[in-house]
Amino acid sequence: ATRLPFGRGLIRAIYPPMPTLNVIPAIRLDQIRAALFIPDALIFNIGAGAMEGSGKRLWDNVTNSGARIFAVDIGRGEHIDLVADAAKLPLADQSVDGIVLQAVLEHVRVPEQVIAEAFRVLRPGGHVYVEMPFLQGFHADPHDYQRYTLEGLRWQFRAFDEIYSGVSVGPFSTLVWMLRDGLSSWADNRWIYAFCRFVAGWVFAPLRYFDLLLGDSRIARRLANEYYFLAQKPVSGHAGVT
C-alpha cells in the first residue's frame, strides 16, 4: 500500500504533458471568474469529470469565491454531485446562476438541446461559459461529433448576449497534437504505439509555448485549437433558443 502513492507520483512525473496549452490571459480569466463565481451563486459544471487538462485554469481559487458549485456528469464518478443528461437537467426553470460547458458540446449528438436546456435553467442575467474545440483531433469520451468556429459558437448561442470570447488553445497546440498522434497511430502493437506516443509527447510539447506569442491574434483565431465563450442570458427581450 505504501508503494502505490510513490508509483502514481512517478507516473505523473514521467507522463508526457498534454498537447494543449491554455492561453487565456490571466486578466481575462479573472473577469470570467468574477462574472461566474459570485458569492452564493448556484453553478452547475456540466460534464465535469475530473476537471483536468487545459481548462483547469478556470477553477483556480474558485473555492474561495463563495459560489455553490455542483459537478454534473452522465455517469457516476468520485467527484460527481449529480448524475444527469445535459439535455434533460432535473432542474427547475430559471433556477441556476451559471452553467459551465468545458469540452462538452463536441461529445453530444444534438448540442442545440444542451444549449436550450442551459437557457431554460438559467435565471435572467445568468451566465454560460463554454470551451469548444475547433482544430483538434478526434477524442471520443465516449463519442466525438462536431467542432465549431467562433462564428459557429456565436450562432449556436444567439439567444444569449456575448460578453467575452477568443482563443483558449492556439494553433501550435494543434501541431503538437497532430505530430504526437500521427507519429504513433501507425503502430498496431500497443507497446510500440505507447512508446512512440510517449516520445513524441515529450519531444514536441515545447512547441505549445509559441501559442503564448500568438495569443488571441488574427492568425490564432483562424487556426485555433479551441475557443472560449462567455455569454449572459438576457434579462428580457428573448424568448429562448429558436
Side-chain angles (χ1 to χ4, degrees), residues 14-19 176-177 179-181 183-184 193-208:
I14 66 173
Y15 198 80
M18 290 191 65
V176 174
W177 192 309
L179 287 170
R180 182 199 65 178
D181 285 14
L183 293 173
S184 58
Y193 166 82
F195 175 77
C196 292
R197 191 176 176 87
F198 177 87
V199 172
W202 275 113
V203 168
F204 296 112
L207 293 173
R208 301 173 302 162

Side-chain angles (χ1 to χ4, degrees), residues 58-215:
L58 174 71
W59 302 97
D60 290 346
N61 301 317
V62 298
T63 53
N64 300 323
S65 67
R68 296 170 291 162
I69 302 169
F70 294 86
V72 182
D73 209 345
I74 199 165
R76 297 185 182 278
E78 183 180 355
H79 303 290
I80 301 304
D81 301 305
L82 175 65
V83 176
D85 185 339
K88 298 177 182 179
L89 294 171
L91 303 170
D93 294 356
Q94 301 185 14
S95 62
V96 173
D97 298 295
I99 293 288
V100 177
L101 294 163
Q102 287 180 296
V104 170
L105 294 179
E106 70 267 34
H107 298 300
V108 297
R109 286 191 181 93
V110 188
E112 292 83 0
Q113 292 180 352
V114 176
I115 296 167
E117 189 70 345
F119 191 96
R120 179 186 70 81
V121 303
L122 277 172
R123 297 187 178 104
H127 293 83
V128 59
Y129 177 74
V130 182
E131 288 177 3
M132 179 72 185
F134 175 43
L135 297 179
Q136 195 173 102
F138 181 87
H139 56 284
D141 192 20
H143 306 289
D144 195 357
Y145 294 106
Q146 59 261 321
R147 302 288 185 268
Y148 288 156
T149 61
L150 193 52
E151 286 75 9
L153 272 177
R154 288 178 176 136
W155 172 253
Q156 293 286 14
F157 286 87
R158 61 195 179 276
F160 295 82
D161 294 329
E162 179 180 343
I163 299 177
Y164 302 122
S165 65
V167 176
S168 50
V169 180
F172 279 95
S173 292
T174 298
L175 180 61
V176 174
W177 192 309
M178 299 307 173
L179 287 170
R180 182 199 65 178
D181 285 14
L183 293 173
S184 58
S185 296
W186 63 270
D188 292 328
N189 183 285
R190 64 172 182 167
W191 296 108
I192 297 175
Y193 166 82
F195 175 77
C196 292
R197 191 176 176 87
F198 177 87
V199 172
W202 275 113
V203 168
F204 296 112
L207 293 173
R208 301 173 302 162
Y209 293 98
F210 283 106
D211 284 332
L212 295 173
L213 299 177
L214 292 179

